Amino acid sequence: MDDAYLCYNRKGTFLTDKGNLIGLRMKLWKLPNVNSKIFPEGYKLSWIVFNLATENERILFDNHGGKPLHYHDNGKEKFLEWISLEETEKLFYQMVYKKFGYFNYE
């Protein structure tokens, strides 16, 4: 990942409409000249939202060497089929809003 570049590094603390105080950490890298099942369109991502009250309640999307895109919902892990970066981010936020409630990142 030496020639990878960081596309964004989002982080913050938010209060949701369900009253959950959550932490958000989202990193996205672009890997030049890489397009594989593990890094579709050359993207490597690590996106997590966790409940600050318990810290063991979380949604995590990631992909890394040896494992294609997948998510963790607390202890449950499931692989995802890549459609696009936009659709993956949309799915991430849908799962987060369902679990913790809506918040405005902007």
Side-chain angles (χ1 to χ4, degrees), residues 35-99:
N35 188 3
S36 67
K37 185 174 180 169
I38 295 173
F39 303 115
E41 296 179 43
Y43 289 112
K44 179 180 181 340
L45 57 91
S46 176
W47 300 340
I48 185 169
V49 171
F50 52 94
N51 186 332
L52 287 166
T54 64
E55 292 194 22
N56 62 357
E57 190 178 12
R58 62 181 162 257
I59 298 286
L60 166 67
F61 277 42
D62 67 342
N63 61 338
H64 44 80
K67 270 193 174 177
L69 181 62
H70 59 283
Y71 74 84
H72 306 260
D73 183 351
N74 298 344
K76 180 178 74 172
E77 180 180 76
K78 184 175 179 184
F79 289 93
L80 296 167
E81 184 169 336
W82 180 264
I83 297 171
S84 69
L85 180 60
E86 294 78 20
E87 287 299 314
T88 303
E89 192 166 305
K90 182 178 170 183
L91 177 61
F92 175 74
Y93 279 111
Q94 286 174 343
M95 290 180 69
V96 168
Y97 295 155
K98 183 177 179 183
K99 185 176 204 69

Side-chain angles (χ1 to χ4, degrees), residues 6-8 21 25-27 33 39-40 48 61 74 78:
L6 187 63
C7 297
Y8 62 71
L21 187 60
R25 308 286 182 268
M26 294 178 73
K27 286 187 177 183
N33 304 315
F39 303 115
I48 185 169
F61 277 42
N74 298 344
K78 184 175 179 184

Side-chain angles (χ1 to χ4, degrees), residues 14-16 97 102-106:
F14 304 92
L15 184 61
T16 71
Y97 295 155
Y102 178 78
F103 66 98
N104 187 359
Y105 176 75
E106 305 300 324

Side-chain angles (χ1 to χ4, degrees), residues 22-35:
I22 59 169
L24 173 134
R25 308 286 182 268
M26 294 178 73
K27 286 187 177 183
L28 178 72
W29 296 267
K30 181 70 171 164
L31 309 174
N33 304 315
V34 174
N35 188 3

